[in-house]
Amino acid sequence: MRGITVTLHEKVQTGTDRLNRPVYEEVPVDIKNVLVAPATAEDIPSGLDLNGAKVEYQLALPKGDTHVWNDSRVTFFGQDWHVVAPPVMGIEDLIPLSWNKKVMVERYE
């Protein structure tokens, strides 16, 4: 089993504004071997319904990935998606295969 390459638009702090708040820029990073699966009703926490997020896909991230996925934009299937919840991570040594984290995404508009 092998995943696809997705582009994570990682937020990198480039400075601060006049009020000393951080200013960010998105830097595209290709992440290889990501599994993409449609989200089922069982996969979607009920708390997301309160925020109005419509989760469409689950992404399984490869072991060893250290990128920041929270509230990030991701591109795959020729479309942009928004990560709606922090990654859920399992214990790497106890999970077979190549993936140990998952995130949920909604359509980015």
Side-chain angles (χ1 to χ4, degrees):
M1 190 174 349
R2 189 173 304 156
I4 65 171
T5 298
V6 303
T7 302
L8 171 65
H9 301 272
E10 204 165 32
K11 295 177 184 174
V12 176
Q13 184 173 348
T14 57
T16 56
D17 65 11
R18 295 182 324 185
L19 299 174
N20 207 30
R21 293 177 298 197
V23 174
Y24 296 95
E25 181 179 312
E26 286 186 343
V27 177
V29 179
D30 286 340
I31 310 295
K32 296 179 180 180
N33 198 24
V34 175
L35 294 180
V36 178
T40 64
E42 297 161 353
D43 298 325
I44 304 169
S46 60
L48 291 179
D49 297 335
L50 298 174
N51 296 332
K54 183 178 182 229
V55 175
E56 294 189 37
Y57 287 101
Q58 254 188 123
L59 307 181
L61 308 177
K63 290 179 179 178
D65 178 76
T66 58
H67 294 92
V68 177
W69 292 81
N70 296 354
D71 195 33
S72 295
R73 184 167 58 104
V74 182
T75 303
F76 60 92
F77 297 157
Q79 297 178 347
D80 287 335
W81 306 87
H82 175 243
V83 177
V84 296
V88 175
M89 185 171 164
I91 299 171
E92 193 169 308
D93 294 338
L94 299 179
I95 297 176
L97 301 178
S98 300
W99 306 270
N100 71 321
K101 280 191 255 186
K102 67 179 179 178
V103 295
M104 291 182 236
V105 297
E106 67 178 343
R107 182 73 187 274
Y108 190 84
E109 296 191 27

